[in-house]
Amino acid sequence: MIDLWLIFRILVFPGFTFILFLTLFCDWVERKLEARIQNRVGPMVAGPGGILQPLADFIKLLTKEDIEPRDTKKLVFRYAPLAAFSIMMFAMCFLPIDGASVISTGGFSGDLIIILAFATIANFLLFMAGWASANPYGTIGSARVLTQFLGYDIPLYLLALTPAFIAGSIQIATIASSFPYILLAPWAFILFIITMQAELEKDPFDVPHSESEVVGGLETEYTGAKLAFLHLTRDVQVVFGSALVVELFLGGPNGPVFFGLDWLFYTLWFVLKLLIVVVISEYITTVVARLRIDQVLTGNWKILLPAALLSLIAAVALATWVYHPFGIGMAVGV
Amino acid sequence: MAEQKKKGKSRISPIFKRAVSHLFTKPATTKYPFVKPQLPADSRGKLVYEIKDCNAIDFGCGPDFRLDIKALRGSNCQVCVRDCPAGAIQIVEVEGKKRPQIDLNKCVFCYQCVETCPRGAIKQSDFYELATTDKGALVMKPEYKNKKEAS
Amino acid sequence: MSNAADMINLLESKFGDRIQIKQGTLEAGAIIANNGLHYDVLKAMIEADEKTGITAITGLDLGDKLGVYYHVHTAKPFFTIKAEVPKADPKIKTVVDIHPGALFHELEVTDLLGVVFVGNELQGHFVLSENWPDGVYPLRKDVDATKVQLVPTPEREANKNAEGRQVKIIIGPQHPALLEPEKFSVTVDGEIVTKVEPRIGYVHRGIEKTAESRSYLKDTYLVERVCGICNPIHAYAFVSTVEKILKPAVPERAEYLRVIALELNRLHSHLLTLGHAGLEIGYETLFQYFWRDREPIMDLIELTSGNRVYGSLITVGGVRRDLNPEHIPKIKSVLEDFRKKMPFYRKLYQEEPTLRLRMKDVGVLTREDALKLSVVGPVARGSGVDMDIRKTQPYSAYDEIPFKQIVYTEGDTWARMNVRMDEVEESINIIEYAVDHLPSGPVRVEVPRSVPEGEAVSSVEAPRGELFYYVKSNGTDMPERVKIRTPTFANIPSFLKTAIGESIADVPSNFVSLDPCFSCTDR
């Protein structure tokens, strides 16, 4: 029998539609913040304060002509953007937004690893999207995407496991409802934000999108609806990355609840914390320049990876000898 | 990157503070077309042609030290036509008289014609909103406003 | 040697009767050297003074002969070596082996006039497009450029992917890194650049040929439109060359107003470059900040000349408009506000880690390379060559206004950007001094429309480097030959040298530090 409540949760709230509008909203926040830092106004005409601008951009791209060069690998070229978008949306469904994740069974032990794997697969699909376009700029751009995200995945996993080690669980809902781990491992929080910048390909790790070198990067040959979904995938990745930070380090959707409306207040706390992380990430993006590809790789293998290892060792040591004997930070069952 | 930022406590780039302070200052954008900018009164905008001042059939155009009288040819003044660098001025017939027609599509707004005209028939204005979808609307055809001017 | 007489004595003692020297014409002197002697004369001059270099090579049509004039600059005096070849067999010896900076100039003369430089032959076209028919040389007097029949584009041979694992990347005419179209074929081995081949001429509009069929008055507006960014300096260079033939008594007030217009232009051009450099390295915030601060300067330009971009203020005999004394407080307050903003940018260049990572040790040009390739402007001054035309050959009112010459020695992108930032401060000082010490009087004198026979050269300091004009008049109201040598034309060969051996990711940052302006390059 069809569970209408589950379908509602998946499709509308807190599932597909809600995440879609949250993505467009975060895009607007990013653009407005970047504009204000640069002393200009940003979007201001579409809707009050320009809030409908990302939606307008998406619809505009959907109406444009969709050109496919003759030499592309058709299957991959056509469906990679859509596949990447779907996988990212699916990964978002595991994160607790209104107190419980979309599929509302509280997840399962190990879903942290699964959603990180989904993010990697989505990035890999984006790489294949650029590789399938018959364009040297696309090839170079997607090769850079691959180099960057594969390299930075290792510190990402290590740092994502730091709160998991302190909590003693690898289930996101458990970690989220245990403790705001930013207080117990602040160095891991800072390193995780930086690694997330590299995963999301934002400045200073913006190399795959550098127009002055590779024109459009992996998006060079894409037009119309496929380009709309590529942009949307990138925006959903931003929300996903920030949501992961919120869940792992800031305590997820937990916060004070009034009037017993737990779904409303949990969602509000989640969105508030998400916006804080998005603002921090966009601030870093705006104030620095873009690094060269070899500087990005040096930063990864020589600086970030040893730092992530050290951070993990420090966190485990602190957990074993300081936190757990006092009962701080241990997993609270969901 | 984190290490560099943490070490350089006294040598922090000023942009970090500046970026935050900009969030609280008014943006530098002029919100055109809702707000129009203030232009200086003598900026070079659209030309204004006063047909009653023009006298294209006169010979020996008045005292003006910028002209070399010997270089004038024929019995028409037409100095504006000769001096326009873009070739935007042509002579047309209006009510039996020869008058200049200024094509703003080609005009570069250098105002050489304003300077050269010995009778000051072409004048300056600071009107700059000339954008239109019809090229013909940008050709300034000379016409008399009433019969009195034509005589 | 900084004395013209010394150089002339040296040449006379070396070559005796085989050359003729006319002292005093065309700046320090014109040396007539035919039959391949130009090579030896140039070699002697280079050995005598290390700062000797070729500013430009003018080719002109002298009836049954083709003239090839080498304009040579030394530490201070400026000479011209005149050589002639018969039109039927226009061969002349190349000087590229003793002075590599002459490469582009010789190729251009070959393309436009048909002179063959033995040892530096041109394949295909250099400045003209591929559709131009062979054997038709536009700058010759018998060619009417409007009636030339274009040929269909020839079949391009396939881009042979160079030896081994080297790949050719084309930073093509349309590219987000370039403001204007030019093509650079960059051969890379992995990530390291091994060769750069330029193809210029995409914006070639034939301004030199057009100027020959318009009066001097109209040409002032025509040469202004060679470049949109540095337009008053083109107008000034042309006007000052014509004034050297006409010799009118330009009033003092006009000279000061010209200096104000030129320095305002230098301010806005340097801010444009500094912002554009930020954009190339991915630093959009810096780009927005610099261009926001550029807006009041554009407003000042509109206040003084009536238009934000094409001021058209300078004309033969003076300036067209006077400065209203009511505007002076506004000018001073805008400059004062601007001066307060500079410490922020200085500190940013010193302290910002990502900016230093992208700009330090990128595109290093050594001092001897800078001298051999005859680079000009901030590119030269960033490599330790102290060459600023406003100091070495002062023009207009610059000899009365005190200012400093900015020289850095590192030779990388960071040094060149710093040179431009310091020059911004100096420009503010110059404008304030000029506004404070503005003499009274008329702003324009009457000049005749026809210019007597003669020829003259003039060098001025554009924001991008040394701009050189050569004008030859024949007694009518239209010039016989106008030759323009723009600074970017002289600076591009240095990019071909500095890009080699560096990563391809450094190419945009390296390139933008030259401050390229392709409208100037192609004319």
Side-chain angles (χ1 to χ4, degrees):
Chain A
M1 105 135 208
I2 305 173
D3 188 352
L4 282 174
W5 181 238
L6 183 63
I7 294 184
F8 178 78
R9 280 186 70 85
I10 293 177
L11 287 182
V12 181
F13 180 86
F16 186 79
T17 315
F18 176 71
I19 297 177
L20 193 65
F21 281 105
L22 187 64
T23 307
L24 296 176
F25 179 65
C26 285
D27 192 14
W28 175 80
V29 168
E30 278 189 338
R31 285 169 69 162
K32 238 2 201 193
L33 184 71
E34 180 173 0
R36 278 300 150 100
I37 290 179
Q38 292 172 355
N39 213 200
R40 45 185 185 93
V41 280
M44 55 175 251
V45 176
I51 201 163
L52 293 179
Q53 186 69 41
L55 184 66
D57 287 339
F58 181 68
I59 295 178
K60 176 206 81 166
L61 275 177
L62 288 179
T63 62
K64 296 286 184 184
E65 183 186 358
D66 208 332
I67 306 177
E68 276 181 16
R70 187 187 52 191
D71 289 335
T72 58
K73 314 278 183 289
K74 288 288 182 320
L75 195 66
V76 179
F77 189 75
R78 273 184 206 158
Y79 299 114
L82 203 53
F85 175 66
S86 319
I87 291 188
M88 288 309 302
M89 279 300 213
F90 187 50
M92 279 292 289
C93 291
F94 284 89
L95 297 171
I97 296 179
D98 66 340
S101 58
V102 168
I103 312 195
S104 90
T105 48
F108 51 89
S109 179
D111 59 3
L112 176 62
I113 311 286
I114 288 278
I115 65 170
L116 286 175
F118 278 151
T120 307
I121 294 180
N123 261 329
F124 196 76
L125 279 171
L126 288 179
F127 153 74
M128 286 177 61
W131 197 259
S133 16
N135 189 326
Y137 292 128
T139 317
I140 299 181
S142 56
R144 287 182 174 185
V145 165
L146 191 72
T147 319
Q148 191 167 313
F149 89 76
L150 278 187
Y152 279 87
D153 253 356
I154 304 177
L156 186 78
Y157 275 65
L158 287 174
L159 290 166
L161 289 176
T162 305
F165 267 106
I166 305 184
S169 150
I170 46 173
Q171 182 170 345
I172 297 183
T174 317
I175 302 176
S177 43
S178 301
F179 204 86
Y181 286 101
I182 183 175
L183 299 172
L184 297 182
W187 61 90
F189 175 71
I190 297 178
L191 288 176
F192 194 71
I193 293 246
I194 295 172
T195 316
M196 203 36 98
Q197 289 281 102
E199 280 287 320
L200 301 174
E201 284 149 24
K202 299 172 97 168
D203 276 336
F205 305 103
D206 198 13
V207 178
H209 294 278
S210 62
E211 291 121 11
S212 48
E213 294 163 39
V214 284
V215 188
L218 56 91
E219 299 175 348
T220 316
E221 287 291 344
Y222 278 94
T223 54
K226 299 202 265 285
L227 185 64
F229 276 101
L230 268 184
H231 283 174
L232 203 59
T233 309
R234 196 190 157 274
D235 293 335
V236 174
Q237 275 181 322
V238 170
V239 171
F240 173 77
S242 313
L244 203 60
V245 176
V246 168
E247 301 288 348
L248 291 176
F249 286 94
L250 292 177
N254 295 306
V257 176
F258 307 105
F259 313 124
L261 287 170
D262 52 353
W263 57 271
L264 178 69
F265 278 94
Y266 281 152
T267 314
L268 278 176
W269 284 115
F270 177 78
V271 172
L272 190 65
K273 293 179 193 175
L274 186 75
L275 284 180
I276 292 176
V277 177
V278 165
V279 163
I280 295 177
S281 167
E282 185 65 20
Y283 173 77
I284 300 178
T285 303
T286 316
V287 297
V288 290
R290 175 189 308 141
L291 293 178
R292 253 191 348 238
I293 182 79
D294 58 311
Q295 291 162 342
V296 164
L297 294 176
T298 317
N300 178 27
W301 297 104
K302 289 196 188 158
I303 301 179
L304 211 52
L305 185 59
L309 279 171
L310 282 174
S311 143
L312 188 63
I313 295 175
V316 172
L318 273 175
T320 322
W321 289 309
V322 178
Y323 295 144
H324 286 179
F326 288 101
I328 314 174
M330 295 188 63
V332 171
V334 159
Chain B
M1 280 281 101
E3 279 74 4
Q4 284 183 0
K5 280 194 203 134
K6 277 194 227 163
K7 264 193 293 206
K9 269 286 158 30
S10 58
R11 294 183 30 171
I12 296 189
S13 159
I15 196 159
F16 295 114
K17 262 193 354 199
R18 181 65 70 99
V20 175
S21 73
H22 269 305
L23 291 171
F24 305 107
T25 50
K26 199 158 137 344
T29 318
T30 309
K31 299 190 177 86
Y32 187 84
F34 310 114
V35 171
K36 301 231 193 248
Q38 286 286 18
L39 288 188
D42 51 0
S43 20
R44 298 207 290 264
K46 181 176 173 185
L47 297 163
V48 173
Y49 171 64
E50 299 273 355
I51 195 165
K52 59 179 168 49
D53 292 330
C54 174
N55 207 333
I57 58 170
D58 227 12
F59 177 55
C61 311
D64 186 351
F65 65 82
R66 294 189 198 99
L67 292 181
D68 189 5
I69 301 288
K70 287 198 282 289
L72 281 174
R73 288 192 295 277
S75 59
N76 288 322
C77 174
Q78 294 193 19
V79 210
C80 53
V81 179
R82 186 191 50 183
D83 274 348
C84 176
I89 308 187
Q90 285 175 328
I91 294 291
V92 296
E93 284 255 348
V94 175
E95 309 255 348
K97 300 195 171 120
K98 291 198 157 84
R99 293 288 179 256
Q101 171 178 291
I102 306 177
D103 185 0
L104 288 179
N105 286 304
K106 296 188 183 164
C107 175
V108 291
F109 300 94
C110 66
Y111 275 36
Q112 182 63 43
C113 51
V114 175
E115 274 183 28
T116 319
C117 177
R119 303 193 165 244
I122 310 186
K123 297 194 193 1
Q124 172 263 346
S125 82
D126 62 355
F127 180 69
Y128 59 91
E129 288 167 322
L130 291 168
T132 169
T133 50
D134 172 22
K135 266 192 181 176
L138 281 177
V139 177
M140 290 170 55
K141 295 188 180 40
E143 47 194 16
Y144 287 98
K145 290 201 195 58
N146 48 38
K147 256 302 176 200
K148 199 159 71 100
E149 280 189 347
S151 58
Chain C
M1 43 187 62
S2 53
N3 202 336
D6 289 341
M7 182 68 87
I8 293 181
N9 288 339
L10 169 76
L11 291 173
E12 275 181 343
S13 61
K14 252 191 155 171
F15 296 97
D17 265 350
R18 294 181 289 161
I19 61 173
Q20 279 181 38
I21 302 189
K22 292 193 182 149
Q23 275 198 359
T25 60
L26 289 181
E27 298 297 314
I31 306 163
I32 304 189
N34 285 317
N35 301 323
L37 271 174
H38 65 282
Y39 183 89
D40 303 308
V41 171
L42 186 62
K43 196 158 174 202
M45 290 172 90
I46 291 180
E47 282 163 6
D49 185 351
E50 66 153 4
K51 280 199 182 166
T52 306
I54 291 194
T55 299
I57 302 181
T58 306
L60 58 161
D61 189 343
L62 296 167
D64 54 347
K65 283 190 197 277
L66 292 175
V68 182
Y69 294 176
Y70 294 79
H71 302 281
V72 177
H73 64 268
T74 58
K76 274 219 161 133
F78 189 90
F79 293 96
T80 303
I81 305 176
K82 290 192 182 182
E84 289 176 5
V85 289
K87 226 181 210 177
D89 182 27
K91 284 198 174 51
I92 194 170
K93 191 170 173 190
T94 178
V95 298
V96 168
D97 40 350
I98 47 173
H99 188 75
L103 178 73
F104 271 24
H105 302 119
E106 291 189 347
L107 292 177
E108 186 192 356
V109 173
T110 310
D111 204 13
L112 291 176
L113 266 174
V115 175
V116 176
F117 288 87
V118 178
N120 184 15
E121 279 92 9
L122 173 68
Q123 319 288 345
H125 283 289
F126 183 64
V127 172
L128 298 170
S129 84
E130 314 290 356
N131 299 38
W132 197 266
D134 281 332
V136 176
Y137 300 110
L139 277 180
R140 293 203 183 171
K141 290 290 182 182
D142 49 352
V143 171
D144 182 357
T146 56
K147 296 200 174 35
V148 172
Q149 295 284 4
L150 297 176
V151 299
T153 315
E155 274 297 320
R156 217 181 333 147
E157 54 199 62
N159 257 332
K160 7 184 201 57
N161 249 339
E163 315 73 52
R165 13 169 277 172
Q166 300 194 341
V167 177
K168 220 181 227 191
I169 297 180
I170 298 189
I171 300 187
Q174 287 97 6
H175 197 273
L178 308 172
L179 280 176
E180 289 141 351
E182 298 293 6
K183 187 164 87 165
F184 292 94
S185 305
V186 178
T187 315
V188 287
D189 179 8
E191 283 267 332
I192 306 291
V193 174
T194 49
K195 199 161 70 149
V196 181
E197 285 153 11
R199 171 66 166 103
I200 67 173
Y202 284 86
V203 200
H204 182 72
R205 294 152 283 164
I207 290 192
E208 293 180 359
K209 176 93 178 166
T210 315
E212 291 172 15
S213 53
R214 276 160 169 67
S215 65
Y216 285 94
L217 183 64
K218 287 196 197 177
D219 274 342
T220 317
Y221 297 106
L222 178 68
V223 297
E224 224 186 7
R225 278 146 180 86
V226 169
C227 175
I229 309 174
C230 48
N231 49 80
I233 196 86
H234 277 277
Y236 175 73
F238 179 71
V239 158
S240 102
T241 320
V242 173
E243 284 177 353
K244 282 190 186 166
I245 310 178
L246 264 183
K247 298 196 183 35
V250 180
E252 269 286 307
R253 190 177 170 92
E255 295 287 6
Y256 272 76
L257 288 175
R258 285 174 173 180
V259 166
I260 293 176
L262 295 179
E263 289 303 313
L264 277 175
N265 176 253
R266 188 183 311 271
L267 264 182
H268 109 80
S269 169
H270 279 332
L271 288 175
L272 190 148
T273 306
L274 289 166
H276 184 55
L279 195 59
E280 292 291 329
I281 60 174
Y283 207 169
E284 283 151 15
T285 310
L286 194 66
F287 167 68
Q288 300 282 1
Y289 285 173
F290 268 122
W291 281 50
R292 173 203 62 191
D293 292 330
R294 187 175 158 251
E295 282 299 312
I297 311 288
M298 304 297 280
D299 289 340
L300 276 189
I301 298 180
E302 189 171 27
L303 199 62
T304 51
S305 68
N307 213 327
R308 270 167 65 104
V309 180
Y310 283 117
S312 302
L313 195 61
I314 301 175
T315 185
V316 183
V319 292
R320 287 169 72 201
R321 274 184 167 206
D322 200 354
L323 182 64
N324 198 335
E326 295 169 359
H327 293 324
I328 292 187
K330 176 147 203 304
I331 296 180
K332 294 184 85 126
S333 84
V334 166
L335 290 177
E336 196 48 50
D337 282 339
F338 189 70
R339 188 181 265 147
K340 291 200 192 99
K341 296 190 173 145
M342 286 312 288
F344 168 72
Y345 292 118
R346 276 186 188 293
K347 198 150 183 287
L348 191 69
Y349 261 82
Q350 300 286 336
E351 311 288 334
E352 170 67 48
T354 48
L355 203 137
R356 288 173 71 92
L357 277 175
R358 282 308 291 268
M359 282 194 171
K360 269 272 187 201
D361 295 325
V362 167
V364 178
L365 184 69
T366 56
R367 186 167 188 268
E368 29 169 310
D369 276 339
L371 286 171
K372 269 201 314 205
L373 294 168
S374 293
V375 294
V376 292
V379 181
R381 293 199 284 281
S383 294
V385 178
D386 52 342
M387 204 173 83
D388 187 338
I389 305 291
R390 297 176 290 170
K391 287 283 190 199
T392 53
Q393 302 168 37
Y395 52 93
S396 192
Y398 281 109
D399 43 0
E400 298 167 21
I401 303 180
F403 67 98
K404 288 200 297 268
Q405 195 180 69
I406 316 286
V407 174
Y408 277 69
T409 48
E410 290 94 345
D412 54 9
T413 303
W414 191 81
R416 298 195 268 266
M417 289 300 159
N418 269 330
V419 166
R420 293 191 178 100
M421 270 213 305
D422 288 347
E423 284 188 1
V424 162
E425 295 219 34
E426 288 301 316
S427 289
I428 301 177
N429 293 341
I430 296 175
I431 302 177
E432 288 186 338
Y433 184 95
V435 165
D436 284 335
H437 293 81
L438 206 55
S440 53
V443 292
R444 197 171 175 179
V445 292
E446 154 194 8
V447 287
R449 285 184 179 241
S450 312
V451 171
E453 271 195 53
E455 54 184 4
V457 297
S458 114
S459 275
V460 296
E461 181 77 14
R464 283 161 183 78
E466 174 194 349
L467 177 65
F468 169 83
Y469 266 70
Y470 164 80
V471 173
K472 181 167 180 213
S473 64
N474 56 6
T476 63
D477 64 342
M478 299 188 188
E480 163 104 9
R481 172 83 168 100
V482 175
K483 161 78 182 170
I484 311 173
R485 199 287 325 247
T486 51
T488 310
F489 193 76
N491 281 343
I492 289 189
S494 82
F495 170 66
L496 307 182
K497 187 113 202 290
T498 60
I500 295 181
E502 301 205 340
S503 150
I504 179 138
D506 278 331
V507 162
S509 164
N510 182 6
F511 193 62
V512 80
S513 75
L514 292 181
D515 202 357
C517 175
F518 296 130
S519 307
C520 279
T521 312
D522 293 335
R523 287 151 286 137

